Amino acid sequence: MKNTDIAAPDYFHKVIDCQWACPAHTPVPEYIRLIAARRYSDAYMINWWSNVFPGILGRTCDRPCEPACRRMRVETEPVAICRLKRVAADYKDDIRARLPKPAARKNGRRIALVGGGPASLTVARDLAPLGYHCVIFDQDPQAGGMIRTQIPKFRLPDSVIDEECGYILDLGVEFRGGQRIDSMKALLAEGWDAVFVGCGAPRGRDLDIPGRREAAAHIHIGIDWLSSISFGHVNAIGRRVVVLGGGNTAMDCCRSARRLGGEEVHVVVRSGFDEMKASPWEKEDAMHEGIPIHNYLVPKHFTHDNGRLTGVTFEKVKAEYDSRGRRRLVPSGEPDQHFPCDDVLVAIGQENAFPWIERDIGIEFDQWGMPKVDPRTMASTHPKVFFGGDAAFGPKNIIWAVAHGHEAAISIDKLLNGEDINDRPAPAVEMISQKMGIHEWSYKNEVVLDQRYKVPLRDKVVALKDIKAEVELGFDETLAFQEAGRCLNCDVQTVFTSSLCIECDACVDICPMDCITFTQNGDEAELRGRLNAPATNLSQDLYVQDGLKTGRVMVKDEDVCLHCGLCAERCPTGAWDMQKFLLEMTYAGNSCRPQRRSAA
């Protein structure tokens, strides 16, 4: 194998599994160390630069970082990365003085942003400080999009939304609430320099089975029903409620129904429990509130009596798999099941709806009615129109919308400065040696045995009485410090200098994971098999360095390294060095980069 090029930005980035998995590439270990040091404002600003909505995401993120967490190499539960993000938001000081200032002079370029959700707000956050006049159009009176209208207040209070949307609008962004865009052709005719579409996936899927029309008065589309609650149009529901669907919207619906009078609330899903699209913690929260989840049931028809809904009949199915592992649901042969109910909430998915975009203006759509969007630049086939968030690729989550917004802002800035939008800026990378030795560590290297700490919850009886009472109370400072201590500091990398090595094997002896091997070189597949501990995870690269006096190579399996630093502490010649790798994505003009205050 050839020497590993550790100067390539992606090499150590990929080793920081949490940051690599985050669509916005937030420097997770860096802000967790700051939280452990009780430097909450600094931790918040690191988050704000990359993911824009730390307080919102600290309550609602789908947490793609956590399944990737290296902590799961030593136990079953990852670090509570998402809930620590909320800690930074909850305990920060007033950070407004550290935010970018509105542009002193506009640059004469006007950007129209359709939809006031996280994607559009991110674009505006990145472009407004550069002097662009960003105008957000939304049919609702306040900014936030689905963050405000479809996430229940018991999960995300309005005060958090107001604060973090306000930080963006205060950059000189114009918000035109209550102004719906009904024609892209008309919008383009107004002479905007660029248009960004971040209107989400606003249409919930319906269920066209017998009885739907006859009992329509008590069958509700889930996302519309949640919006009606947010706007105060709905404040009650029947005593018996059936929720159809297995995603996060279904979990929000069933928990909301419990708070609005639903005494018997059932979630019914066509798939198995493990195949449900809802996040595991969302399912746990629902069941904690006494809501059962029934699986492998397919709705056949709504039962009704003279237009009054009486229940739903389901067919019991089972999963069968073909030789290629593809699943098929087939009747189990068991009797149908009938669930009596007064109301049904249909939460079986969302769809994009673009009736307002004319098909003769240069924006191409695919066979599913989705715009053709470049996933790297977020550009459509119209030179001035960009898409992001759910409007670009269908329903995902807030953190993906933020990532799309950053990329679209780069493209718009390059386009309007006559540059190639395909020429993407490289991230900023720093490598900083850390202090080593007894009593001189600049970061905590102990691998604590603590299990994941639970987030305190409001008493269930109290929570179910008030639909606006936030259920999760968040970590206090003590719990936050303890949970932060579970982080393995995966961004502090082991850097090897072969010319300093005397091949004493002290590092091999002390390594608790047997991840360092000095051996003869070879092809990767063969070499992986004869390391001290065979390297079986092919998605994680090996760290290889030659130049040793014996002709051997040093090979380290990055997959199982705990970043404990014992190799560097034990090395008598300094051949091993612990260096903090800090990667920060570059955004449009770097306009939003806050003053860096390192955790080291």
Side-chain angles (χ1 to χ4, degrees):
M1 293 186 66
K2 294 181 179 179
N3 274 358
T4 301
D5 180 11
I6 63 172
D10 276 359
Y11 179 73
F12 281 138
H13 184 195
K14 193 175 180 181
V15 176
I16 313 170
D17 300 79
C18 52
Q19 186 176 7
W20 181 261
C22 173
H25 303 305
T26 304
V28 174
E30 175 77 353
Y31 81 73
I32 289 180
R33 278 192 300 274
L34 288 167
I35 288 170
R38 292 180 168 82
R39 293 167 56 185
Y40 305 117
S41 296
D42 293 340
Y44 184 88
M45 291 309 301
I46 285 176
N47 275 280
W48 188 84
W49 179 40
S50 61
N51 61 49
V52 185
F53 304 101
I56 292 170
L57 286 165
R59 292 164 167 83
T60 63
C61 190
D62 274 2
R63 317 178 195 178
C65 54
E66 292 191 12
C69 177
R70 192 172 289 262
R71 183 77 191 188
M72 296 174 72
R73 267 68 159 184
V74 293
E75 61 180 80
T76 57
E77 291 290 330
V79 175
I81 298 169
C82 179
R83 293 326 184 229
L84 286 173
K85 192 188 315 293
R86 174 180 170 174
V87 168
D90 285 353
Y91 290 98
K92 71 182 184 307
D93 299 319
D94 185 347
I95 50 84
R96 285 174 292 184
R98 299 175 62 174
L99 299 175
K101 301 295 186 291
R105 296 177 60 186
K106 298 290 186 182
N107 63 17
R109 305 298 178 86
R110 298 163 62 246
I111 315 299
L113 302 109
V114 182
S120 293
L121 288 167
T122 299
V123 175
R125 202 281 311 254
D126 288 2
L127 292 182
L130 298 178
Y132 292 96
H133 183 199
C134 298
V135 181
I136 299 175
F137 298 89
D138 198 283
Q139 64 181 3
D140 297 328
Q142 293 178 286
M146 56 76 63
I147 292 175
R148 189 179 295 276
T149 61
Q150 292 171 27
I151 299 177
K153 306 309 174 191
F154 58 80
R155 289 181 57 208
L156 179 60
D158 272 333
S159 58
V160 179
I161 305 173
D162 292 342
E163 176 188 0
E164 297 196 326
C165 291
Y167 290 154
I168 296 170
L169 299 182
D170 288 346
L171 295 173
V173 176
E174 182 180 350
F175 179 75
R176 298 185 186 177
Q179 191 165 336
R180 179 188 179 95
I181 300 299
D182 293 316
S183 168
M184 176 64 83
K185 184 179 291 187
L187 185 66
L188 289 170
E190 295 176 7
W192 300 94
D193 294 287
V195 174
F196 177 80
V197 180
C199 58
R203 185 171 64 190
R205 290 178 182 163
D206 206 343
L207 188 62
D208 187 14
I209 59 175
R212 174 66 177 92
R213 292 173 179 80
E214 292 83 350
H218 291 278
I219 301 172
H220 319 281
I221 302 299
I223 62 169
D224 296 338
W225 184 75
L226 290 171
S227 294
S228 295
I229 294 174
S230 294
F231 291 119
H233 302 321
V234 169
N235 55 21
I237 200 168
R239 185 179 66 85
R240 302 171 303 172
V241 181
V242 168
V243 178
L244 303 177
N248 287 338
T249 298
M251 300 301 103
D252 286 340
C253 284
C254 69
R255 297 179 69 196
S256 297
R258 285 284 281 124
R259 289 159 171 78
L260 294 185
E263 298 176 11
E264 298 178 17
V265 179
H266 296 263
V267 175
V268 185
V269 190
R270 63 185 295 132
S271 70
F273 185 83
D274 292 335
E275 289 77 43
M276 290 172 61
K277 292 183 178 180
S279 304
W281 51 90
E282 299 282 4
K283 295 187 284 187
E284 291 171 7
D285 289 342
M287 292 185 292
H288 171 74
E289 294 177 357
I291 301 168
I293 298 175
H294 309 272
N295 297 95
Y296 290 122
L297 291 169
V298 176
K300 292 181 66 176
H301 60 265
F302 297 105
T303 59
H304 54 91
D305 182 9
N306 293 322
R308 182 179 65 85
L309 178 70
T310 59
V312 190
T313 298
F314 296 89
E315 179 182 37
K316 185 70 174 177
V317 297
K318 62 181 180 179
E320 289 186 350
Y321 297 88
D322 63 17
S323 59
R324 298 175 62 182
R326 293 176 299 188
R327 189 194 68 171
R328 187 167 62 103
L329 296 176
V330 299
S332 69
E334 300 173 58
D336 289 347
Q337 295 184 26
H338 183 260
F339 284 70
C341 64
D342 304 302
D343 285 276
V344 170
L345 301 172
V346 181
I348 57 174
Q350 294 171 231
E351 298 174 331
N352 292 75
F354 298 104
W356 57 280
I357 299 182
E358 295 84 356
R359 297 307 193 258
D360 62 348
I361 58 174
I363 299 177
E364 295 181 19
F365 287 79
D366 62 22
Q367 59 185 341
W368 297 282
M370 292 293 292
K372 293 183 178 180
V373 177
D374 186 320
R376 191 158 177 257
T377 66
M378 309 311 296
S380 74
T381 53
H382 188 292
K384 287 187 176 182
V385 180
F386 300 81
F387 285 76
D390 293 353
F393 306 112
K396 283 196 174 182
N397 51 59
I398 299 170
I399 192 64
W400 274 105
V402 170
H404 294 166
H406 285 316
E407 296 297 339
I410 291 172
S411 296
I412 291 170
D413 185 45
K414 282 183 166 292
L415 173 72
L416 300 185
N417 282 284
E419 301 176 26
D420 182 0
I421 67 171
N422 292 295
D423 182 15
R424 312 307 285 181
V429 175
E430 295 179 15
M431 295 289 288
I432 307 169
S433 289
Q434 303 297 287
K435 291 182 180 179
M436 302 296 299
I438 298 174
H439 308 307
E440 292 185 5
W441 287 89
S442 60
Y443 72 99
K444 183 178 178 181
N445 75 315
E446 178 188 4
V447 180
V448 298
L449 300 178
D450 295 10
Q451 300 292 306
R452 180 175 169 126
Y453 290 87
K454 292 187 179 297
V455 177
L457 302 178
R458 192 178 302 276
D459 180 82
K460 184 168 66 174
V461 175
V462 176
L464 292 178
K465 289 182 179 179
D466 184 356
I467 198 166
K468 292 187 177 182
E470 190 171 10
V471 176
E472 286 195 10
L473 303 179
F475 287 134
D476 60 22
E477 291 188 83
T478 299
L479 284 174
F481 177 81
Q482 292 171 323
E483 182 63 34
R486 297 180 66 241
C487 177
L488 297 177
N489 299 288
C490 296
D491 60 338
V492 183
Q493 307 294 343
T494 53
V495 176
F496 182 74
T497 304
S498 58
S499 61
L500 298 177
C501 180
I502 59 174
E503 301 182 62
C504 65
D505 281 357
C507 56
V508 176
D509 294 339
I510 201 170
C511 177
M513 302 301 290
D514 292 330
C515 65
I516 300 172
T517 303
F518 289 87
T519 185
Q520 297 301 315
N521 209 337
D523 293 334
E524 180 175 354
E526 182 267 338
L527 188 58
R528 282 180 175 271
R530 58 180 169 87
L531 302 181
N532 289 336
T536 57
N537 182 3
L538 301 183
S539 66
Q540 192 88 67
D541 295 333
L542 297 176
Y543 181 13
V544 179
Q545 290 292 300
D546 62 14
L548 297 169
K549 294 179 176 61
T550 62
R552 297 186 301 172
V553 291
M554 186 288 301
V555 184
K556 185 166 82 74
D557 182 4
E558 298 282 20
D559 184 51
V560 293
C561 177
L562 296 180
H563 300 245
C564 63
L566 291 176
C567 55
E569 189 172 8
R570 183 71 176 271
C571 180
T573 65
W576 286 104
D577 185 27
M578 302 303 292
Q579 297 185 18
K580 184 172 69 174
F581 172 84
L582 188 62
L583 179 141
E584 296 173 317
M585 306 307 292
T586 305
Y587 304 128
N590 257 349
S591 61
C592 297
R593 183 172 185 171
Q595 181 180 357
R596 163 133 319 275
R597 300 185 184 181
S598 174

